Amino acid sequence: MKVVILAGGLGTRLSEETEVRPKPLVEIGGHPIIWHIMKHYVRHGFNEFVVALGYKGEEIKRYFLDYHRLRANLTIDLATGQPSFHEAQTGAWTVHLIDTGLGSNTGARVKRLQPALNGETFMLTYGDGVCNIDLNDLLRFHRKHGRLATVTAVRPPSRFGGLVFDGDLVSDFTEKPQIGEGWINGGFMVMEPGVFKYLEGRDPSLEADALEHLAADRQLAAYKHDEFWQCMDTLRDVRLLESLWQGGRPPWKTWD
């Protein structure tokens, strides 16, 4: 099963980083966040990716072109300048890199990938969020419910600590609790080919034109994930993820 990763947005809220590179290449622990996302999918047995490129897409192409060579040992014949690569620890991934337009909406990007998906069920996520979701359980849930699409519902952590009251006194202080019932779409979706009929028009939005109408037609299931999830929208989010990685036990690291 192929995994679609939306990696073409401008990342304007992270302009400190995205002026020089696309958001999916912003690094956490020395690796681009798209690498973290892909490693999680590979851990669950999904190793063929279709990446929707847009803003600075050539940088993402360059990253994957160099991926094998920069991780391998190499020998250079100085007489000819020809390198040979050996003992690379890269894993058996297949990555399709497809230009979907500079300013395209999310739905238009997915629509342009339709020929590469061969009329099959596919997974879909955004190129800026990490999670410790069991992807095989998500797929079982999707198949059990038999809808055209399934989203992963998450409750993002609050940006502020929470207070618990006992009358006029504070009885407890909770550090960055999750937001009560504020479920949102955390990405990590599964879709059937039938979703493409919801992506008609010149520049459709995945969220407004597809997901909202799928919900209205009772064709959208929600897999509730109440464990770790974190997007990377701001520099503050980058610092948080980096601190978790440097702490030695990042919650989204499910691979060895």
Side-chain angles (χ1 to χ4, degrees):
M1 182 177 294
K2 295 183 177 70
V3 179
V4 169
I5 301 179
L6 295 175
L10 295 175
T12 53
R13 286 186 288 179
L14 198 56
S15 59
E16 300 93 335
E17 292 275 0
T18 55
E19 285 183 359
V20 295
R21 54 185 164 181
K23 192 176 183 182
L25 292 188
V26 173
E27 292 187 352
I28 303 297
H31 297 282
I33 193 165
I34 194 172
W35 176 89
H36 292 266
I37 295 166
M38 295 168 83
K39 288 283 285 186
H40 184 65
Y41 275 98
V42 170
R43 166 66 179 79
H44 288 85
F46 304 98
N47 61 3
E48 185 169 3
F49 301 92
V50 183
V51 183
L53 303 178
Y55 175 69
K56 293 188 179 294
E58 68 280 2
E59 297 298 326
I60 297 177
K61 290 180 180 178
R62 187 172 294 113
Y63 170 76
F64 285 107
L65 280 170
D66 291 339
Y67 189 86
H68 178 89
R69 291 182 293 176
L70 295 181
R71 283 159 180 76
N73 294 325
L74 71 155
T75 301
I76 302 175
D77 183 337
L78 294 182
T80 64
Q82 292 300 312
S84 58
F85 301 92
H86 45 92
E87 299 176 9
Q89 300 294 321
T90 57
W93 305 4
T94 300
V95 185
H96 309 276
L97 301 162
I98 300 176
D99 183 9
T100 57
L102 180 61
S104 302
N105 267 324
T106 49
R109 296 191 189 282
V110 176
K111 181 70 174 178
R112 290 172 188 176
L113 300 180
Q114 187 174 3
L117 299 173
N118 302 324
E120 301 171 350
T121 305
F122 62 96
M123 290 199 167
L124 169 67
T125 196
Y126 302 103
D128 62 357
V130 288
C131 186
N132 65 348
I133 184 174
D134 184 330
L135 293 164
N136 290 305
D137 194 51
L138 167 66
L139 182 56
R140 285 190 292 269
F141 177 93
H142 172 75
R143 287 172 170 164
K144 176 182 176 181
H145 286 78
R147 301 303 195 234
L148 289 179
T150 298
V151 299
T152 296
V154 299
R155 292 184 296 174
S158 170
R159 293 190 180 275
F160 306 98
L163 300 178
V164 179
F165 295 104
D166 179 7
D168 290 334
L169 302 179
V170 175
S171 62
D172 194 14
F173 180 88
T174 57
E175 179 64 17
K176 299 176 184 174
Q178 287 196 315
I179 303 171
E181 292 301 315
W183 294 94
I184 65 169
N185 172 19
F188 300 94
M189 296 169 263
V190 187
M191 296 192 169
E192 300 296 329
V195 301
F196 287 108
K197 70 180 182 181
Y198 292 84
L199 294 173
E200 302 298 336
R202 182 172 177 273
D203 191 30
S205 162
L206 175 65
E207 297 76 18
D209 294 309
L211 298 183
E212 287 188 15
H213 289 94
L214 284 163
D217 290 346
R218 299 187 61 79
Q219 286 294 325
L220 184 64
Y223 178 89
K224 291 183 178 179
H225 176 74
D226 57 6
E227 296 183 31
F228 180 82
W229 174 88
Q230 180 64 52
C231 63
M232 191 187 68
D233 279 341
T234 66
L235 192 57
R236 180 185 181 279
D237 296 330
V238 176
R239 290 168 177 160
L240 170 62
L241 291 169
E242 183 67 29
S243 68
L244 291 171
W245 183 267
Q246 295 303 330
R249 299 187 66 182
W252 70 91
K253 187 177 182 292
T254 56
W255 58 92
D256 296 328

